[in-house]
Amino acid sequence: MGNLLRVMCSRALINIRMLIGIICVALCIGIDSVDLLPKLFQKDSALDVHYFWFNAITYGGIYGKYFLAVIVTLPYSGDFCIEYMQGVWRYILMKSGRKCYAFAKYAACFISGGSVAAAGGCFFIILASGNLELFLERRYVEIQMIPFAELLMESPKKYFAIALYLLFLSGGLWACIGYTISCYFPFKYAVHMSPFLIAFIITRINVIFNIPNRLRIDY
């Protein structure tokens, strides 16, 4: 199983789709505040990196919430569709066994999906922090009700480290959801769009039934 996992992880992480995904994730975080995007390139701005992160990831913007769930499926979630179309999946399954095959696929999907999300988030933070502060203390009044607000005030670097870790977990989850869909509907369109639809449906259910924020799985 070790060789199979190594091969699948290599295919998942070393491809052009991974690089495209990282760039797209970084763009999504900025585009959710597109009207204020020029301030990213202004020094001594009244905004900070957290402002853009909050509107895209923490609070959940259109691009940072829904499109990100699609982007993380790009590196590897649709790989089974390729194997299915080529007819090689049966051979690999017979050679490795169902459990080993499934474990390696899910592990590769989780790692690649989480990595593209976290690396894209890190890329955005590095670019934005070239001109902006990670967090401006005068904005604490605005964000004191959000989780880890005190940590953000005391140590923005630790806050963003936690934020990237959570982004890694959510990216890996959405990538695995996309792969699961491919097992039943081996078409790339279904693989890439299913996380978008599921994220949208979950959000609407939460709103319709007025589920408290502390119980919302999308938070």
Side-chain angles (χ1 to χ4, degrees):
M1 184 174 70
N3 290 334
L4 181 64
L5 179 60
R6 185 162 51 250
V7 169
M8 288 189 177
C9 285
S10 296
R11 288 174 58 185
L13 295 172
I14 306 174
N15 59 65
I16 189 63
R17 296 185 303 277
M18 188 75 180
L19 179 61
I20 293 172
I22 291 172
I23 295 172
C24 287
V25 169
L27 287 174
C28 282
I29 298 173
I31 291 174
D32 263 320
S33 302
V34 66
D35 55 324
L36 297 171
L37 202 55
K39 292 187 178 295
L40 273 176
F41 309 101
Q42 296 178 6
K43 292 189 176 182
D44 301 323
S45 171
L47 301 179
D48 51 32
V49 177
H50 177 263
Y51 178 88
F52 292 91
W53 189 275
F54 177 82
N55 287 317
I57 305 296
T58 307
Y59 181 74
I62 297 297
Y63 298 96
K65 185 183 183 74
Y66 301 111
F67 278 54
L68 189 142
V70 175
I71 294 169
V72 297
T73 65
L74 292 178
Y76 197 67
S77 295
D79 192 70
F80 177 75
C81 299
I82 299 173
E83 294 179 356
Y84 182 84
M85 296 299 292
Q86 295 175 344
V88 300
W89 70 281
R90 294 182 184 275
Y91 171 75
I92 300 174
L93 198 62
M94 290 175 61
K95 187 176 180 180
S96 61
R98 286 187 299 175
K99 290 184 178 180
C100 290
Y101 179 82
F103 177 82
K105 279 288 187 188
Y106 274 110
C109 282
F110 187 87
I111 293 171
S112 63
S115 296
V116 75
C122 186
F123 182 44
F124 174 82
I125 292 171
I126 292 172
L127 286 178
S129 61
N131 291 318
L132 305 180
E133 296 289 336
L134 289 177
F135 179 70
L136 295 173
E137 293 184 4
R138 61 175 176 268
R139 288 192 57 245
Y140 182 73
V141 178
E142 304 173 17
I143 57 92
Q144 58 184 329
M145 299 302 294
I146 69 170
F148 306 109
E150 292 183 2
L151 178 62
L152 178 60
M153 180 72 173
E154 296 171 1
S155 179
K157 290 183 179 179
K158 288 183 180 179
Y159 176 90
F160 278 103
I162 293 173
L164 289 173
Y165 171 69
L166 295 176
L167 194 61
F168 175 86
L169 295 181
S170 61
L173 175 62
W174 287 121
C176 287
I177 288 174
Y179 170 68
T180 302
I181 297 298
S182 76
C183 297
Y184 298 94
F185 305 98
F187 308 103
K188 281 195 171 183
Y189 182 80
V191 173
H192 299 315
M193 291 308 299
S194 56
F196 179 93
L197 294 175
I198 293 171
F200 178 79
I201 291 170
I202 290 175
T203 301
R204 296 313 304 164
I205 289 174
N206 290 327
V207 172
I208 291 170
F209 292 99
N210 197 26
I211 297 176
N213 289 343
R214 61 186 178 85
L215 298 178
R216 288 181 58 165
I217 60 174
D218 58 335
Y219 280 179

